[in-house]
Amino acid sequence: MTTTKREQLTIKVHQLFQILLQHPGGLSTSDLWSQLERIDHPDERSNGNGANGKSLSFEDFSFSCVAPIKAGWLVVERNHWNLSNEGKSAYENYSDPHQLMIEAGKRSTQGWLATRFPWTYCAAGKTKDQITSEVRTIRRVGVSRLLKEAFGKPVPWQEVLPIQSPRTITLTEIGTTSADSLVNHLRSVGAAYGEGSHAIYLSPGDLKLTAFASVARDYPADAGLKIMKKPGSVDDGGYLMGRAKGDSRIQLGMVHGHRHLSLVANFLHAKGVGPRLYDLINLKCDDQIWTAYVVQDVGRRIPTLAECETGVQRLKELDAEGVIKVILPEGFADEEFECPTCCNNALVDRNGQFNYIDFQNFLLSDYEKFLTDLALAAAEETHFGDTALLRGGRYLYQSVPGVKLPGKRSVANRMKTLSQLFQQAGVSVVERVILDVGCNIGMMMSEYLKLGAKWCHGWDRSFTTPYT
């Protein structure tokens, strides 16, 4: 006999009570759902996909919990689930799953509606949640910013930066066609890995155990690898694997592509609240391409409550300055910023520095002002030669792509001449290590990276290099 989806959800709620009775301290959402998924229902074993061939989603399950939540039997706080004393008593008194749900529904209007008309209540709830999420996103980001994103003309830095061309590294030892096959490979070699909704992370030590070990040889010893779960190259694939319950469509539409997310990551690092991004690359495994971020590994130490609160406060200050904006509908009230773990996004490195690693939660807002201020500061410290009254006294020694400020040396013109010389000599910088002596603020190195250089080292005076 085939079990209906409604009956299956009722049984799942009953199983939820069973699990939580075994964990008096409660469970996180991910741990709870993981345990529920491991419990096979007879009908699920028969067809492999649940009722009517469709697997049960957490979103459907969460709406099935409305009645016991409103009855006060099930307590859900943020990302934590627990049973109240009344819930434990209810489980003992109503051993039949259907009777448990009926009794829970009698204790509130919403509970009654959720048990009597589950699909209508679910649809209404989803619509309400979606509208609430969109309104909060609009308030958070601002109408003017939304209009600018939707209809505004891209400013120079958006069209030019980042100037670097992503490397494509071909790996012949592994053929991964899906995120599941990637995970299977990691398990087969005994590599520990971190997995989130959108990416899989390998620490430097575990990276060396995998078929991706050759990638590590091109980067510093503390480089880890963050591989996107969604297939696609840097320019073709997006960061997000999919949409979850409560996600704002406006918010998801504003998440930067990989290139601009690399600027977000570097900005957070420059401000002392994020790990260094070494590179953004394509990994070619047979016919499949995956996007990966090569990032500085900051260890696994969770910050203390005080360390986390100080770090999140710094993020709030950067948000208030306007260069970046948190695009989550709840803003800093979202569980992604709940101390001390910030949903495993907050870590402290060996130097005691707070690092927030989930950079896709931020939008570059007034990034042009940040670049201009940075270039003006560099002009004061890195200009060589005479000053020019018409150019504002001390001005940039090298022009900066995407910034409308004069420079003594045109990087574009220099690169045009150098490219001709490279061609005449039959020389290429592709996959080469470049040493730039007298690099100034590093603009020529950015051009070499644009041509496909593997890595660049710059050398200059001590008062110049901080602006490189």
Side-chain angles (χ1 to χ4, degrees), residues 37-55:
E37 286 188 310
R38 287 199 294 268
I39 300 176
D40 287 336
H41 183 274
D43 186 62
E44 292 174 4
R45 288 198 297 267
S46 66
N47 62 33
N49 289 309
N52 303 320
K54 295 182 179 180
S55 60

Side-chain angles (χ1 to χ4, degrees), residues 23-218:
H23 296 83
L27 288 171
S28 67
T29 300
S30 59
D31 289 340
L32 179 61
W33 185 240
S34 177
Q35 291 199 35
L36 283 169
E37 286 188 310
R38 287 199 294 268
I39 300 176
D40 287 336
H41 183 274
D43 186 62
E44 292 174 4
R45 288 198 297 267
S46 66
N47 62 33
N49 289 309
N52 303 320
K54 295 182 179 180
S55 60
L56 299 178
S57 69
F58 178 77
E59 186 173 16
D60 289 333
F61 169 73
S62 63
F63 277 107
S64 296
C65 295
V66 169
I69 290 173
K70 294 299 180 181
W73 298 349
L74 183 60
V75 180
V76 184
E77 295 179 348
R78 290 284 189 174
N79 198 36
H80 197 78
W81 298 61
N82 210 340
L83 284 183
S84 65
N85 290 330
E86 292 81 2
K88 295 172 184 177
S89 299
Y91 180 79
E92 293 177 0
N93 294 331
Y94 312 114
S95 57
D96 179 72
H98 298 86
Q99 188 63 32
L100 180 70
M101 290 296 286
I102 290 172
E103 293 299 327
K106 292 178 180 179
R107 284 158 172 77
S108 70
T109 301
Q110 284 182 276
W112 184 85
L113 290 171
T115 54
R116 296 298 179 122
F117 309 100
W119 310 129
T120 302
Y121 183 88
C122 181
K126 288 180 180 178
T127 301
K128 177 180 177 294
D129 288 347
Q130 189 67 50
I131 293 173
T132 301
S133 181
E134 304 301 353
V135 170
R136 286 174 176 168
T137 300
I138 292 171
R139 288 176 178 171
R140 176 77 201 144
V141 178
V143 175
S144 61
R145 179 66 193 182
L146 290 173
L147 293 175
K148 187 175 181 180
E149 284 290 315
F151 306 107
K153 182 180 179 181
V155 291
W157 72 263
Q158 290 175 312
E159 296 179 325
V160 175
L161 299 178
I163 195 171
Q164 178 176 342
S165 296
R167 298 177 63 205
T168 296
I169 301 174
T170 301
L171 303 170
T172 58
E173 305 89 349
I174 180 174
T176 55
T177 57
S178 66
D180 288 339
S181 61
L182 173 59
V183 168
N184 289 337
H185 165 68
L186 301 179
R187 289 175 177 170
S188 70
V189 298
Y193 60 92
E195 183 175 6
S197 300
H198 312 294
I200 294 170
Y201 178 73
L202 291 166
S203 66
D206 290 298
L207 176 59
K208 294 176 182 177
L209 301 175
T210 72
F212 303 102
S214 59
V215 177
R217 292 196 291 266
D218 293 335

Side-chain angles (χ1 to χ4, degrees), residues 265-274 314 318 321 323 353 370 374:
N266 280 326
F267 175 81
L268 293 178
H269 173 67
K271 295 300 182 178
V273 286
R314 179 58 182 142
L318 294 174
E321 290 172 10
V323 178
Q353 179 173 299
F370 164 72
L374 189 63

Side-chain angles (χ1 to χ4, degrees), residues 164-170 214-219 233-234 259 278-284 289-292 294 430-432 449-455:
Q164 178 176 342
S165 296
R167 298 177 63 205
T168 296
I169 301 174
T170 301
S214 59
V215 177
R217 292 196 291 266
D218 293 335
Y219 299 97
S233 68
V234 168
R259 285 179 176 267
Y278 289 125
D279 210 350
L280 175 61
I281 61 177
N282 294 314
L283 297 174
K284 191 174 188 301
I289 295 180
W290 304 86
T291 298
V294 185
V430 175
E431 287 297 294
R432 299 291 186 91
L449 291 169
K450 181 180 181 180
L451 292 179
K454 178 186 290 188
W455 193 266

Side-chain angles (χ1 to χ4, degrees), residues 191-260:
Y193 60 92
E195 183 175 6
S197 300
H198 312 294
I200 294 170
Y201 178 73
L202 291 166
S203 66
D206 290 298
L207 176 59
K208 294 176 182 177
L209 301 175
T210 72
F212 303 102
S214 59
V215 177
R217 292 196 291 266
D218 293 335
Y219 299 97
D222 63 351
L225 193 65
K226 184 176 184 178
I227 308 172
M228 294 291 91
K229 294 170 72 172
K230 182 178 181 179
S233 68
V234 168
D235 293 318
D236 296 330
Y239 190 96
L240 303 180
M241 184 64 180
R243 179 174 173 268
K245 177 189 175 183
D247 282 343
S248 160
R249 294 183 186 276
I250 294 175
Q251 168 213 341
L252 297 183
M254 297 187 76
V255 173
H256 285 308
H258 292 299
R259 285 179 176 267
H260 285 163

Side-chain angles (χ1 to χ4, degrees), residues 158-444:
Q158 290 175 312
E159 296 179 325
V160 175
L161 299 178
I163 195 171
Q164 178 176 342
S165 296
R167 298 177 63 205
T168 296
I169 301 174
T170 301
L171 303 170
T172 58
E173 305 89 349
I174 180 174
T176 55
T177 57
S178 66
D180 288 339
S181 61
L182 173 59
V183 168
N184 289 337
H185 165 68
L186 301 179
R187 289 175 177 170
S188 70
V189 298
Y193 60 92
E195 183 175 6
S197 300
H198 312 294
I200 294 170
Y201 178 73
L202 291 166
S203 66
D206 290 298
L207 176 59
K208 294 176 182 177
L209 301 175
T210 72
F212 303 102
S214 59
V215 177
R217 292 196 291 266
D218 293 335
Y219 299 97
D222 63 351
L225 193 65
K226 184 176 184 178
I227 308 172
M228 294 291 91
K229 294 170 72 172
K230 182 178 181 179
S233 68
V234 168
D235 293 318
D236 296 330
Y239 190 96
L240 303 180
M241 184 64 180
R243 179 174 173 268
K245 177 189 175 183
D247 282 343
S248 160
R249 294 183 186 276
I250 294 175
Q251 168 213 341
L252 297 183
M254 297 187 76
V255 173
H256 285 308
H258 292 299
R259 285 179 176 267
H260 285 163
L261 281 177
S262 71
L263 300 180
V264 176
N266 280 326
F267 175 81
L268 293 178
H269 173 67
K271 295 300 182 178
V273 286
R276 180 181 176 186
L277 175 64
Y278 289 125
D279 210 350
L280 175 61
I281 61 177
N282 294 314
L283 297 174
K284 191 174 188 301
C285 307
D286 287 340
D287 294 329
Q288 189 62 271
I289 295 180
W290 304 86
T291 298
Y293 292 80
V294 185
V295 294
Q296 179 186 28
D297 186 82
V298 294
R300 299 180 180 178
R301 182 167 85 81
I302 297 172
T304 64
L305 184 61
E307 287 173 328
C308 182
E309 289 176 344
T310 299
V312 171
Q313 178 58 37
R314 179 58 182 142
L315 291 173
K316 291 179 179 179
E317 291 169 0
L318 294 174
D319 180 274
E321 290 172 10
V323 178
I324 58 171
K325 296 293 292 185
V326 172
I327 57 175
L328 297 170
E330 297 282 354
F332 285 101
D334 192 277
E335 61 185 11
E336 296 274 324
F337 296 101
E338 185 176 343
C339 290
T341 66
C342 295
C343 289
N344 299 319
N345 293 321
L347 296 168
V348 174
D349 63 25
R350 60 185 62 88
N351 297 318
Q353 179 173 299
F354 173 89
N355 288 270
Y356 190 84
I357 61 175
D358 224 7
F359 44 78
Q360 87 277 4
N361 289 330
F362 298 92
L363 172 76
L364 293 171
S365 185
D366 199 0
Y367 194 65
E368 185 173 17
K369 181 180 183 300
F370 164 72
L371 289 176
T372 302
D373 290 346
L374 189 63
L376 289 172
E380 287 297 315
E381 298 293 335
T382 64
H383 177 87
F384 294 94
D386 297 331
T387 59
L389 182 62
L390 293 178
R391 294 189 177 187
R394 300 180 67 82
Y395 55 96
L396 286 167
Y397 183 73
Q398 294 178 331
S399 59
V400 178
V403 178
K404 296 179 180 179
L405 290 174
K408 185 174 183 179
R409 298 286 185 265
S410 170
V411 171
N413 290 340
R414 276 193 169 190
M415 207 60 230
K416 183 177 180 181
T417 301
L418 277 176
S419 295
Q420 292 173 348
L421 292 174
F422 288 157
Q423 187 175 8
Q424 291 171 10
V427 175
S428 172
V429 300
V430 175
E431 287 297 294
R432 299 291 186 91
V433 177
I434 307 298
L435 173 62
D436 187 352
V437 179
C439 64
N440 199 255
I441 58 175
M443 292 300 99
M444 290 304 296

